[in-house]
Amino acid sequence: MSDATTVLLVLSVGTFALKSAGPLLLGGRELPARIQRAVDLIPAALLAALAASATLVNVSTLVVDARVVGLVVAAVALWRRAPFVVVIVLAAVATALTRVVI
Amino acid sequence: MGHNLGVTSDGSNTVDPGPEVDLIAVRRRLRRQAASITAAVAPFGIVFGAAAATAGLSLLEAIGFSIFVFGGSSQFAAVEILGDGGSVPAAAIAGLLLNVRSLAFGIVMAPALTGGLLQRAAMSQLMIDESTAVGTATADRRARMYGYLAAGIGVFVVWNATTVLGHVVFSSAGDLIETLGLDAAGPAAFLALLWPRLVDVAQRTTAMVGALVALVLIPVTPPGVAILLSCSGVLVGLRVRKRADASKPHEEGV
């Protein structure tokens, strides 16, 4: 069984447990406020880490390459409220052009 | 509810306890909200399929993620870490951390999801940002389940269809990916998932610290571990939130 399939199995079961705990077990009680506040912040940390890693890392080393340009362009596009498709296309085009030019 | 969830934020919160004819109008509005939310996930699904292909996942594995995990950012995270050569635990834990909020969604939606055990279990699989957003957009409890299912089922179908599309189109892309600059699609997708969450200083601080911690640790840790350690940014964010709340004594936290 490949690594991907193992992750798939573990993540599927774990995720379903998280999703169904409320409807199947808890009937209306709320998470303690402190825990809820921490949970609210987790995606920000992880997504930012993943964005940075996907941009600046090549196999465990930090590398600055054309992807950085793509990310900056994506950030500008998001700031200007462009639709997601436009953000992706602009990022890709910017990166490709950077490779042609530099 | 006021939460900023996932890809889109739904600002409409109406109380509609009126007669039967109002239920028809409420349901129509919920269908419209569900439709636009569903359309918004299509490009994400394509990028996920492509990312899965780039990371070396088979079409079956990619589909498996979109059916059985069915959680956008967690799927991206797991696939990214696997593609970097990360360990199974690192990929699985990162994915689970990104799905912890499903627990909160389930608690919120639980009163509206009625029926037998199997029915509630089946409906639970659809517990994502988008279905919860639409499901909580009305105070009418009868309409909540309707909105939840409209968005949940719509997104499920579109997400899986676009996963297949993305994987099939890009699985043999090879060098084409760099020539077309598509290796910037992954970073852009993560940024797009992150962006709607950066609503206050606590979230923004958490994101910055998380990114910095990851970048500093990546060269010296096994793949994926640095991503998990980025959660230390949450501790900083909680501090920031405490300080921000202390200086605004009349603001109600949601």
Side-chain angles (χ1 to χ4, degrees):
Chain A
M1 192 158 68
S2 71
D3 276 0
T5 310
T6 311
V7 172
L8 169 56
L9 282 170
V10 173
L11 193 51
S12 303
V13 172
T15 300
F16 183 75
L18 289 165
K19 287 175 176 177
S20 61
L24 294 183
L25 301 174
L26 291 172
R29 276 177 288 158
E30 294 191 349
L31 280 181
R34 279 183 61 218
I35 296 186
Q36 182 61 56
R37 280 196 290 269
V39 167
D40 278 346
L41 290 173
I42 291 176
L46 287 172
L47 290 170
L50 286 160
S53 164
T55 308
L56 294 168
V57 171
N58 195 350
V59 188
S60 285
T61 43
L62 295 183
V63 174
V64 176
D65 59 27
R67 290 173 295 170
V68 176
V69 175
L71 190 78
V72 171
V73 168
V76 172
L78 283 165
W79 174 54
R80 304 306 280 155
R81 301 170 191 245
F84 178 67
V85 180
V86 173
V87 172
I88 295 291
V89 170
L90 285 176
V93 167
T95 300
L97 283 177
T98 308
R99 290 205 169 104
V100 166
V101 164
I102 296 183
Chain B
M1 292 298 303
H3 291 287
N4 211 359
L5 300 169
V7 177
T8 59
S9 70
D10 191 312
S12 64
N13 259 303
T14 56
V15 180
D16 195 1
E20 277 303 320
V21 70
D22 283 346
L23 183 60
I24 296 174
V26 166
R27 284 186 169 183
R28 186 167 46 224
R29 193 187 66 237
L30 289 173
R31 276 199 305 273
R32 264 202 302 260
Q33 287 171 349
S36 67
I37 268 189
T38 296
V41 305
F44 280 97
I46 294 178
V47 174
F48 170 71
T54 310
L57 270 71
S58 69
L59 179 61
L60 216 55
E61 284 164 342
I63 293 173
F65 270 95
S66 288
I67 290 178
F68 295 111
V69 177
F70 190 47
S73 40
S74 68
Q75 290 180 230
F76 278 105
V79 158
E80 175 82 14
I81 292 176
L82 281 169
D84 284 343
S87 67
V88 164
I93 292 172
L96 285 172
L97 282 172
L98 279 163
N99 281 337
V100 169
R101 63 186 189 273
S102 307
L103 181 61
F105 295 165
I107 292 171
V108 164
M109 286 300 310
L113 298 180
T114 54
L117 196 70
L118 275 179
Q119 180 171 314
R120 279 179 287 147
M123 288 194 289
S124 293
Q125 178 62 3
L126 302 176
M127 191 78 61
I128 55 174
D129 295 354
E130 290 81 1
S131 54
T132 307
V134 178
T136 52
T138 175
D140 186 334
R141 190 163 282 192
R142 302 164 296 170
R144 282 192 155 185
M145 186 164 97
Y146 184 85
Y148 173 88
L149 289 174
I153 294 173
V155 171
F156 189 82
V157 170
V158 169
W159 180 253
N160 277 282
T162 51
T163 295
V164 172
L165 186 65
H167 191 282
V168 165
V169 169
F170 290 104
S171 59
S172 40
D175 275 347
L176 195 63
I177 288 182
E178 291 203 356
T179 312
L180 293 180
L182 290 173
D183 54 341
F190 283 123
L191 195 63
L193 287 168
L194 172 65
W195 204 264
R197 310 197 69 93
L198 302 175
V199 290
D200 60 34
V201 65
Q203 296 276 3
R204 289 193 286 263
T205 310
T206 304
M208 277 191 296
V209 173
L212 274 170
V213 165
L215 287 175
V216 163
L217 291 178
I218 278 174
V220 295
T221 49
V225 172
I227 300 292
L228 297 176
L229 292 173
S230 72
C231 287
S232 53
V234 172
L235 298 171
V236 179
L238 285 172
R239 274 275 171 82
V240 170
R241 186 179 298 296
K242 216 187 234 183
R243 231 178 291 150
D245 284 348
S247 63
K248 280 189 274 186
H250 300 296
E251 182 133 334
E252 188 71 43
V254 174

